[in-house]
Amino acid sequence: MALTNSGSEAEPVEQSSHPEVEQHSTKVLMLGALGVVYGDIGTSPIYAFREALHASAGGNVADRGDILGVLSLIIWSLTIIVTIKYIMFVLRADNGGEGGVLSLMALARGSFPKRSAAILGIGIVGAALFFGDAVITPAISVLSAVEGMNVVTPTFQPYVVPLTLVILAILFAVQRFGTGGVALIFGPITAVWFLAIGLSGLNHIMDDPEILLAISPHYIVAFLVNSPDVAFVTIGAIFLAVTGAEALYADLGHFGRKPIVLAWLAVVFPCLLLNYAGQGAFVLAHGGTVGHPFFEMNEGWTLIPMVVLATAATVIASQAVISGAFSLTRQAVQLNMLPRLQILHTSEKQSGQIYMPRVNLLLALVVMLLVVGFGESSRLAAAYGISVTGNMLVTTVLLYVIMARIWKWQLWLATSLTALFVFIDIGFFGSNIVKVFEGGWASLAVAFAVVLAMWTWVRGSRYLFDKTRRNEIPLDFLAGNLLKKKPQLVSGTAVFLTSDPMSAPTALMHSLKHYKVLHEQNVILSVVTAQQPVVPDSDRVKMETINDLFMRVTLTFGYMEQPNIPRALAICRKQGWKFDIMTTSFFLSRRSLKASPNSGMPVWQDKLFIGLARTAADATEYFQIPTGRVVEIGTQVAI
């Protein structure tokens, strides 16, 4: 599939003329956003404050300055990274209402065609880092929640990992049924979770009211100056408090900017601040002893319900990341960064609810290996920050392109704001990258594997396209000759799918060579993906008559759409072509690839590309063509 450069700045959505209806729908979307958007960042209090104190204290006892400094860092990280960077700026960089690193990449590429390859490379890195995050989040979230049972009784320790694996196995197993029904309870459960952690923190702030002084950033300065070497390591743990912030942008298309912003300002941000402050006051009141403050400050009968609620919240957070991985993979497939993968739609009403069996299986295997290999959430924490900080750094770089080229900001303003965000992102990334040998290698290994697969697919596809094009006959030349000297004509329409509409498709040449016949009407059909999420029907079809025998048709789909060729061709009736599926045959070329030393790629990359090509879903099924109308012609190509 080819790419068009049709990315453009999205127009603002027209506001509803019924304020009561709009207000009601906003509240519903806010509730949904709590479960999907904020599930990850909402479960960070379980482990973030504890890990940051362990890093700063270098043991199990922290002094007052460390506690106030750590809390102040968390407060200002949430304020600058989430409230200012994402809420105020990143959420405005929507691509036709859609968000996410690949949407941002597509928007940036459309505005900067001279640096298209470089921006594509940045987007691939960002997408790969997201997958690194996607395997760590379910592992650390569920594992840390189940570890809460150790606070109830230490005898539960041997059962933490087995129970975590059981919960994760069930979570990945139910993906095939879709999240439509389950999503109805995601929002309410997460709303209860935020209220519970907010009240839990508020209940303990009075243990030591001095903790409220941590709102002053001078505690950050004192903490960094007094022990810069320890502070550098601590900053990496502090970042655990903002993991999940990238979900605000990734899920923009599902909920819209207003519900996401309101949910953050009205519910999530206040409850997170209260809980972190409560944990700080609790630790101060207990002589700085760092145990498991999140669960320990829920005494008596509230402990077990909090453990159960935490487990439910972490499962929801994991579900959101898994769904995000499905969505990102589909975007990558549509943008020709990965081979076609099987996509199953789990809802008749919502096209965004999809299930990808191979992606689900790979995620499940890697997540469970991480749980078994690391065994404790504290060990996994070291692996968590690298991929998330890297993803945020990629977002900042792409945002700069949007500011300068689409928003048309003055260069000094765009550069100054980007420099601030880059300084913070690099600080967090640097403090996390030193943890490579402590566990950070895990997320980097996943990201590297994804980068290698995407790079190989993009590179191999380009080589394959160039090689086949050199051996093909120009379509206009062939069409002109066939019109002058017509072969035997048969009734009906033949549609030849090709990625190069200017050359004669291989299936057409083989059909002429072996069958010695030509249909009365022949359509050279190519499917392209626009660098925008959805393409309106008015722009879906482009038709060009070559001569009486041939016509060239281009179908354009957005990268968030599932291509449906028969439905798209039905639009051609409005442009004069009386398309009838029952008298139409679709001709597809099925290529058998073989490695060649003259491909321009190393042999190992040749073999990897061929392996990826073999995993591609059947084109007939992917493009939703009726199987009874398809003729496949096999060819062998050395790449």
Short mmCIF file of all heavy atoms in Angstrom, two decimals, residues 203-237:
data_model
loop_
_atom_site.label_atom_id
_atom_site.label_comp_id
_atom_site.label_asym_id
_atom_site.label_seq_id
_atom_site.Cartn_x
_atom_site.Cartn_y
_atom_site.Cartn_z
N ASN A 203 -7.24 10.96 54.65
CA ASN A 203 -7.38 10.47 56.02
C ASN A 203 -6.07 10.49 56.79
O ASN A 203 -6.06 10.52 58.03
CB ASN A 203 -7.94 9.04 55.98
CG ASN A 203 -8.30 8.51 57.35
OD1 ASN A 203 -8.88 9.22 58.16
ND2 ASN A 203 -7.94 7.26 57.63
N HIS A 204 -4.94 10.46 56.05
CA HIS A 204 -3.64 10.38 56.73
C HIS A 204 -2.80 11.65 56.62
O HIS A 204 -1.71 11.70 57.21
CB HIS A 204 -2.84 9.19 56.18
CG HIS A 204 -3.33 7.87 56.69
ND1 HIS A 204 -2.93 7.33 57.89
CD2 HIS A 204 -4.21 6.98 56.15
CE1 HIS A 204 -3.53 6.16 58.08
NE2 HIS A 204 -4.31 5.92 57.04
N ILE A 205 -3.28 12.65 55.88
CA ILE A 205 -2.52 13.89 55.78
C ILE A 205 -2.32 14.53 57.16
O ILE A 205 -1.25 15.08 57.47
CB ILE A 205 -3.21 14.89 54.82
CG1 ILE A 205 -3.02 14.42 53.37
CG2 ILE A 205 -2.66 16.30 55.00
CD1 ILE A 205 -3.71 15.29 52.34
N MET A 206 -3.33 14.39 58.01
CA MET A 206 -3.23 14.98 59.35
C MET A 206 -2.26 14.21 60.26
O MET A 206 -1.97 14.65 61.37
CB MET A 206 -4.62 15.04 60.00
CG MET A 206 -5.59 15.94 59.27
SD MET A 206 -4.90 17.58 58.89
CE MET A 206 -4.67 18.22 60.56
N ASP A 207 -1.75 13.07 59.80
CA ASP A 207 -0.71 12.39 60.58
C ASP A 207 0.51 13.30 60.75
O ASP A 207 1.20 13.24 61.77
CB ASP A 207 -0.27 11.09 59.89
CG ASP A 207 -1.35 10.02 59.95
OD1 ASP A 207 -2.39 10.26 60.59
OD2 ASP A 207 -1.15 8.95 59.33
N ASP A 208 0.76 14.11 59.72
CA ASP A 208 1.84 15.09 59.79
C ASP A 208 1.54 16.17 58.75
O ASP A 208 1.99 16.09 57.60
CB ASP A 208 3.20 14.43 59.51
CG ASP A 208 4.37 15.33 59.89
OD1 ASP A 208 4.22 16.57 59.78
OD2 ASP A 208 5.41 14.80 60.30
N PRO A 209 0.78 17.20 59.15
CA PRO A 209 0.34 18.23 58.20
C PRO A 209 1.48 18.96 57.50
O PRO A 209 1.28 19.58 56.46
CB PRO A 209 -0.47 19.20 59.08
CG PRO A 209 -0.89 18.39 60.25
CD PRO A 209 0.23 17.42 60.50
N GLU A 210 2.69 18.87 58.05
CA GLU A 210 3.84 19.53 57.43
C GLU A 210 4.09 19.00 56.02
O GLU A 210 4.77 19.65 55.22
CB GLU A 210 5.08 19.34 58.29
CG GLU A 210 6.29 20.13 57.81
CD GLU A 210 7.53 19.90 58.66
OE1 GLU A 210 7.37 19.56 59.85
OE2 GLU A 210 8.64 20.04 58.13
N ILE A 211 3.54 17.85 55.71
CA ILE A 211 3.74 17.26 54.39
C ILE A 211 3.22 18.18 53.29
O ILE A 211 3.70 18.14 52.15
CB ILE A 211 3.06 15.86 54.30
CG1 ILE A 211 3.60 15.08 53.11
CG2 ILE A 211 1.54 16.02 54.19
CD1 ILE A 211 5.03 14.66 53.25
N LEU A 212 2.25 19.05 53.62
CA LEU A 212 1.67 19.95 52.62
C LEU A 212 2.66 21.00 52.15
O LEU A 212 2.48 21.61 51.10
CB LEU A 212 0.42 20.64 53.21
CG LEU A 212 -0.76 19.70 53.54
CD1 LEU A 212 -1.89 20.48 54.19
CD2 LEU A 212 -1.25 18.98 52.29
N LEU A 213 3.73 21.19 52.91
CA LEU A 213 4.76 22.14 52.50
C LEU A 213 5.49 21.67 51.25
O LEU A 213 6.18 22.46 50.59
CB LEU A 213 5.77 22.36 53.64
CG LEU A 213 5.23 22.99 54.93
CD1 LEU A 213 6.32 23.04 55.99
CD2 LEU A 213 4.68 24.39 54.66
N ALA A 214 5.35 20.38 50.91
CA ALA A 214 6.04 19.82 49.74
C ALA A 214 5.59 20.45 48.44
O ALA A 214 6.24 20.26 47.40
CB ALA A 214 5.84 18.31 49.68
N ILE A 215 4.52 21.24 48.49
CA ILE A 215 4.08 21.92 47.27
C ILE A 215 5.10 22.96 46.83
O ILE A 215 5.14 23.37 45.66
CB ILE A 215 2.69 22.56 47.48
CG1 ILE A 215 2.07 22.93 46.13
CG2 ILE A 215 2.79 23.78 48.39
CD1 ILE A 215 0.63 23.40 46.22
N SER A 216 5.95 23.38 47.76
CA SER A 216 6.98 24.36 47.42
C SER A 216 8.14 23.69 46.68
O SER A 216 8.72 22.72 47.17
CB SER A 216 7.51 25.03 48.69
OG SER A 216 8.64 25.83 48.39
N PRO A 217 8.50 24.22 45.52
CA PRO A 217 9.58 23.57 44.74
C PRO A 217 10.97 23.72 45.36
O PRO A 217 11.91 23.09 44.89
CB PRO A 217 9.50 24.28 43.39
CG PRO A 217 8.84 25.58 43.66
CD PRO A 217 7.91 25.35 44.81
N HIS A 218 11.09 24.55 46.43
CA HIS A 218 12.42 24.70 47.00
C HIS A 218 12.91 23.40 47.65
O HIS A 218 14.11 23.19 47.81
CB HIS A 218 12.44 25.86 48.02
CG HIS A 218 12.11 25.47 49.42
ND1 HIS A 218 10.81 25.46 49.90
CD2 HIS A 218 12.91 25.08 50.46
CE1 HIS A 218 10.83 25.08 51.18
NE2 HIS A 218 12.08 24.84 51.54
N TYR A 219 11.95 22.51 47.99
CA TYR A 219 12.34 21.20 48.52
C TYR A 219 13.02 20.36 47.43
O TYR A 219 13.86 19.51 47.72
CB TYR A 219 11.12 20.46 49.09
CG TYR A 219 10.68 21.00 50.43
CD1 TYR A 219 9.58 21.85 50.53
CD2 TYR A 219 11.37 20.67 51.60
CE1 TYR A 219 9.17 22.35 51.76
CE2 TYR A 219 10.96 21.17 52.83
CZ TYR A 219 9.87 22.01 52.90
OH TYR A 219 9.48 22.50 54.12
N ILE A 220 12.62 20.57 46.19
CA ILE A 220 13.27 19.87 45.07
C ILE A 220 14.72 20.33 44.95
O ILE A 220 15.64 19.52 44.81
CB ILE A 220 12.51 20.13 43.75
CG1 ILE A 220 11.09 19.58 43.82
CG2 ILE A 220 13.26 19.51 42.57
CD1 ILE A 220 10.26 19.86 42.58
N VAL A 221 14.91 21.66 45.00
CA VAL A 221 16.26 22.22 44.89
C VAL A 221 17.15 21.69 46.01
O VAL A 221 18.29 21.26 45.78
CB VAL A 221 16.20 23.76 44.92
CG1 VAL A 221 17.61 24.33 44.87
CG2 VAL A 221 15.36 24.29 43.76
N ALA A 222 16.61 21.72 47.24
CA ALA A 222 17.39 21.24 48.39
C ALA A 222 17.75 19.77 48.24
O ALA A 222 18.88 19.35 48.52
CB ALA A 222 16.60 21.47 49.69
N PHE A 223 16.79 18.98 47.75
CA PHE A 223 17.01 17.54 47.58
C PHE A 223 18.08 17.28 46.53
O PHE A 223 18.97 16.43 46.71
CB PHE A 223 15.69 16.88 47.19
CG PHE A 223 15.78 15.40 46.96
CD1 PHE A 223 16.04 14.53 48.02
CD2 PHE A 223 15.61 14.86 45.70
CE1 PHE A 223 16.13 13.16 47.81
CE2 PHE A 223 15.71 13.49 45.48
CZ PHE A 223 15.96 12.65 46.54
N LEU A 224 18.03 18.02 45.41
CA LEU A 224 19.00 17.82 44.33
C LEU A 224 20.39 18.30 44.72
O LEU A 224 21.40 17.69 44.33
CB LEU A 224 18.52 18.55 43.06
CG LEU A 224 17.20 18.09 42.44
CD1 LEU A 224 16.85 18.95 41.24
CD2 LEU A 224 17.28 16.62 42.03
N VAL A 225 20.46 19.39 45.50
CA VAL A 225 21.75 19.96 45.88
C VAL A 225 22.44 19.13 46.96
O VAL A 225 23.65 18.88 46.90
CB VAL A 225 21.58 21.41 46.35
CG1 VAL A 225 22.88 21.95 46.97
CG2 VAL A 225 21.15 22.31 45.19
N ASN A 226 21.67 18.68 47.92
CA ASN A 226 22.26 17.96 49.06
C ASN A 226 22.84 16.61 48.68
O ASN A 226 23.86 16.18 49.22
CB ASN A 226 21.22 17.78 50.17
CG ASN A 226 20.84 19.10 50.82
OD1 ASN A 226 21.62 20.05 50.76
ND2 ASN A 226 19.65 19.17 51.41
N SER A 227 22.18 15.91 47.77
CA SER A 227 22.68 14.58 47.39
C SER A 227 22.41 14.35 45.90
O SER A 227 21.50 13.61 45.53
CB SER A 227 22.00 13.49 48.22
OG SER A 227 20.59 13.67 48.22
N PRO A 228 23.19 15.02 45.03
CA PRO A 228 22.93 14.94 43.59
C PRO A 228 23.06 13.54 43.01
O PRO A 228 22.33 13.17 42.09
CB PRO A 228 23.98 15.88 42.99
CG PRO A 228 25.04 16.01 44.04
CD PRO A 228 24.33 15.89 45.35
N ASP A 229 23.98 12.73 43.55
CA ASP A 229 24.15 11.38 43.01
C ASP A 229 22.93 10.51 43.32
O ASP A 229 22.43 9.77 42.46
CB ASP A 229 25.42 10.74 43.58
CG ASP A 229 25.47 10.81 45.10
OD1 ASP A 229 24.77 11.68 45.68
OD2 ASP A 229 26.19 10.00 45.71
N VAL A 230 22.42 10.61 44.54
CA VAL A 230 21.23 9.85 44.92
C VAL A 230 20.00 10.41 44.20
O VAL A 230 19.13 9.67 43.75
CB VAL A 230 21.02 9.90 46.45
CG1 VAL A 230 19.70 9.24 46.83
CG2 VAL A 230 22.18 9.22 47.16
N ALA A 231 19.94 11.75 44.08
CA ALA A 231 18.80 12.39 43.44
C ALA A 231 18.66 11.94 41.99
O ALA A 231 17.53 11.75 41.49
CB ALA A 231 18.95 13.91 43.50
N PHE A 232 19.79 11.76 41.31
CA PHE A 232 19.74 11.34 39.90
C PHE A 232 19.05 10.00 39.76
O PHE A 232 18.21 9.80 38.88
CB PHE A 232 21.17 11.27 39.35
CG PHE A 232 21.24 10.88 37.91
CD1 PHE A 232 20.87 11.77 36.91
CD2 PHE A 232 21.66 9.61 37.55
CE1 PHE A 232 20.94 11.41 35.58
CE2 PHE A 232 21.72 9.24 36.21
CZ PHE A 232 21.36 10.14 35.22
N VAL A 233 19.37 9.06 40.64
CA VAL A 233 18.74 7.74 40.60
C VAL A 233 17.27 7.84 41.02
O VAL A 233 16.40 7.18 40.46
CB VAL A 233 19.50 6.75 41.53
CG1 VAL A 233 18.81 5.40 41.54
CG2 VAL A 233 20.94 6.61 41.08
N THR A 234 17.01 8.71 42.00
CA THR A 234 15.65 8.86 42.51
C THR A 234 14.71 9.39 41.43
O THR A 234 13.54 9.00 41.36
CB THR A 234 15.63 9.81 43.72
OG1 THR A 234 16.53 9.32 44.71
CG2 THR A 234 14.23 9.91 44.31
N ILE A 235 15.21 10.30 40.58
CA ILE A 235 14.37 10.88 39.53
C ILE A 235 13.82 9.79 38.62
O ILE A 235 12.68 9.86 38.15
CB ILE A 235 15.18 11.92 38.72
CG1 ILE A 235 15.39 13.17 39.56
CG2 ILE A 235 14.48 12.26 37.41
CD1 ILE A 235 16.30 14.19 38.93
N GLY A 236 14.61 8.75 38.38
CA GLY A 236 14.12 7.63 37.57
C GLY A 236 12.93 6.95 38.20
O GLY A 236 11.99 6.53 37.51
N ALA A 237 12.94 6.82 39.54
CA ALA A 237 11.81 6.22 40.24
C ALA A 237 10.63 7.18 40.31
O ALA A 237 9.46 6.76 40.26
CB ALA A 237 12.22 5.79 41.65
#
